Amino acid sequence: MSENGGSGVADVFCNRCGHRNPPESRFCSSCGAPLDASVEDRPTITYQLDTPTEANEAIEVDLGEVPSGGMLVVHSGPNAGSRFAVDQDTITVGRHPESDIFLDDITVSRRHVEIVRQGDAFVVRDVGSLNGTYVNRQRIDETTLHDGDELQVGKFKLLYVGGGAAGSAGSA
């Protein structure tokens, strides 16, 4: 996650827009929002990604920022670093501007996928996309999301970080 010359200090993500900022930043260079510089002593979870194109890339998530339903973190694609709360009964994902998670790229269908709450779990369901939906590099029509799963929608690769009781697996 840190691309700051190997100093060991993690980049700071804006809580408002998700933009990645250098660790010494006090304000977001994209939207101007103040950045929380006190990231020390916060519980975090780190995911080590091991995909052919992003081997050894790690994503660190502040557990205090994860809502009870979890969150999706874009780790690859045009909006890398963006974070989306999974906190509704149904979340629409697609290129349509009224989607709950708007992914603006031609590889994403206007109405690509839905994430639906079923009890304590969330189910991801392809809703007739042209390029398909993948979870952990397997094409799916419908499957339950688990902590640490990688959801691919077009060029976008999103990491699911489970919240509440579902978010206890995968910590490092």
Side-chain angles (χ1 to χ4, degrees), residues 23-42:
E24 66 277 359
S25 299
R26 299 182 97 178
F27 295 93
C28 177
S29 62
S30 178
C31 71
L35 299 174
D36 184 12
S38 61
V39 294
E40 297 173 16
D41 298 329
R42 286 181 148 172

Side-chain angles (χ1 to χ4, degrees), residues 36-51:
D36 184 12
S38 61
V39 294
E40 297 173 16
D41 298 329
R42 286 181 148 172
T44 61
I45 189 166
T46 302
Y47 293 88
Q48 187 69 34
L49 303 177
D50 191 23
T51 59

Side-chain angles (χ1 to χ4, degrees), residues 3 5 11 23 26-27 39 51 57 91 99 111 130 140:
E3 295 177 0
D11 293 332
R26 299 182 97 178
F27 295 93
V39 294
T51 59
E57 181 181 344
I91 297 170
S99 296
R111 287 170 177 58
L130 183 61
I140 58 99

Side-chain angles (χ1 to χ4, degrees), residues 33-136:
L35 299 174
D36 184 12
S38 61
V39 294
E40 297 173 16
D41 298 329
R42 286 181 148 172
T44 61
I45 189 166
T46 302
Y47 293 88
Q48 187 69 34
L49 303 177
D50 191 23
T51 59
T53 57
E54 289 124 346
N56 299 322
E57 181 181 344
I59 293 177
E60 188 172 303
V61 176
D62 183 341
L63 292 176
E65 295 176 5
V66 179
S68 62
M71 74 168 40
L72 289 167
V73 180
V74 181
H75 71 86
S76 177
N79 293 2
S82 296
R83 296 161 186 238
F84 302 98
V86 180
D87 58 359
Q88 301 174 47
D89 289 337
T90 301
I91 297 170
T92 58
V93 181
R95 194 170 32 94
H96 193 282
E98 293 179 9
S99 296
D100 297 313
I101 299 177
F102 174 58
L103 300 176
D104 190 17
D105 189 84
I106 196 70
T107 62
V108 178
S109 296
R110 289 168 73 60
R111 287 170 177 58
H112 199 107
V113 73
E114 289 180 340
I115 301 169
V116 180
R117 183 189 314 264
Q118 290 186 353
D120 290 337
F122 284 92
V123 173
V124 61
R125 180 179 306 140
D126 187 283
V127 289
S129 69
L130 183 61
N131 292 325
T133 300
Y134 296 81
V135 173
N136 299 327

